């Protein structure tokens, strides 16, 4: 990215207080147009090419993310970090498959369980997404990451 910006996120999401479905779809389209490719094959939850984890994970020793995580196994180079924001159904089989496909494409992928991670479930989905977006810059310091963080809607 140019200008020292290493978090790819729509201006709609940056500092958002309200986010509707149309805005999330627009953000997804923008990411798709920017070249984030997702292979079309289905993956297995036991794929030996991936490290897969479901549970709690600390970001930069500060924020605890509860969710679904996948990354390529045996990659010596630093990788992009991709955050997949789950739909209204939460982390279902479709989201898990999306996470695994992006991981096979060479990314560290996180799908946060919004309600468990944000602690703002009573404030609604928009507040939960805004909380995840607020903590995205911490992912730039992921130990296997290269400093690039992208957020997409599932």
């Amino acid at each position: 990215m140019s200008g020292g910006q290493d978090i790819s996120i729509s201006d709609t999401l940056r500092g958002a207080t309200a986010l509707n479905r149309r805005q999330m779809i627009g953000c997804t389209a923008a990411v798709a147009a920017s070249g984030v490719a997702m292979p079309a094959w289905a993956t297995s939850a036991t794929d030996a090419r991936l490290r897969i984890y479901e549970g709690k994970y600390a970001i930069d020793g500060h924020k605890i993310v509860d969710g679904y995580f996948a990354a390529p196994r045996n990659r010596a180079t630093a990788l992009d970090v991709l955050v997949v924001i789950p739909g209204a159904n939460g982390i279902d089989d479709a989201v898990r498959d999306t996470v695994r496909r992006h991981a096979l494409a060479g990314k560290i992928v996180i799908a946060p369980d919004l309600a468990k991670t944000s602690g703002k479930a009573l404030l609604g989905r928009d507040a939960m997404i805004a909380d995840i977006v607020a903590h995205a810059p911490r992912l730039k310091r992921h130990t296997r990451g290269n400093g690039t963080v992208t957020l997409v809607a599932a």
Side-chain angles (χ1 to χ4, degrees):
M1 302 230 132
S2 62
Q5 181 181 5
D6 50 6
I7 294 182
S8 175
I9 183 168
S10 169
D11 289 334
T12 304
L13 290 176
R14 192 173 294 126
T17 56
L19 188 67
N20 64 33
R21 181 176 171 82
R22 185 176 302 232
Q23 291 166 321
M24 281 302 290
I25 289 171
C27 294
T28 303
V31 169
S34 71
V36 174
M38 184 169 55
W41 61 87
T43 62
S44 166
T46 58
D47 193 320
R49 299 171 292 173
L50 298 175
R51 294 177 188 265
I52 300 170
Y53 172 72
E54 190 160 3
K56 295 182 186 298
Y57 184 83
I59 297 175
D60 193 31
H62 173 74
K63 177 76 173 170
I64 303 294
V65 174
D66 197 326
Y68 189 74
F69 309 87
R73 193 178 292 275
N74 302 326
R75 286 291 283 248
T77 60
L79 305 171
D80 290 355
V81 176
L82 181 70
V83 179
V84 176
I85 305 294
N89 294 331
I91 301 174
D92 57 11
D93 289 340
V95 171
R96 287 182 185 92
D97 190 56
T98 299
V99 167
R100 291 189 302 264
R101 286 186 284 149
H102 280 295
L104 283 173
K107 298 184 183 323
I108 300 166
V109 190
I110 302 167
D113 182 321
L114 296 176
K116 291 180 182 176
T117 297
S118 73
K120 298 185 180 203
L122 295 176
L123 298 176
R125 182 170 171 74
D126 293 346
M128 292 186 287
I129 291 171
D131 184 58
I132 297 298
V133 169
H135 290 285
R138 294 182 179 281
L139 290 169
K140 293 189 303 183
R141 296 186 289 263
H142 190 285
T143 57
R144 292 184 62 204
N146 63 11
T148 301
V149 178
T150 306
L151 286 87
V152 297

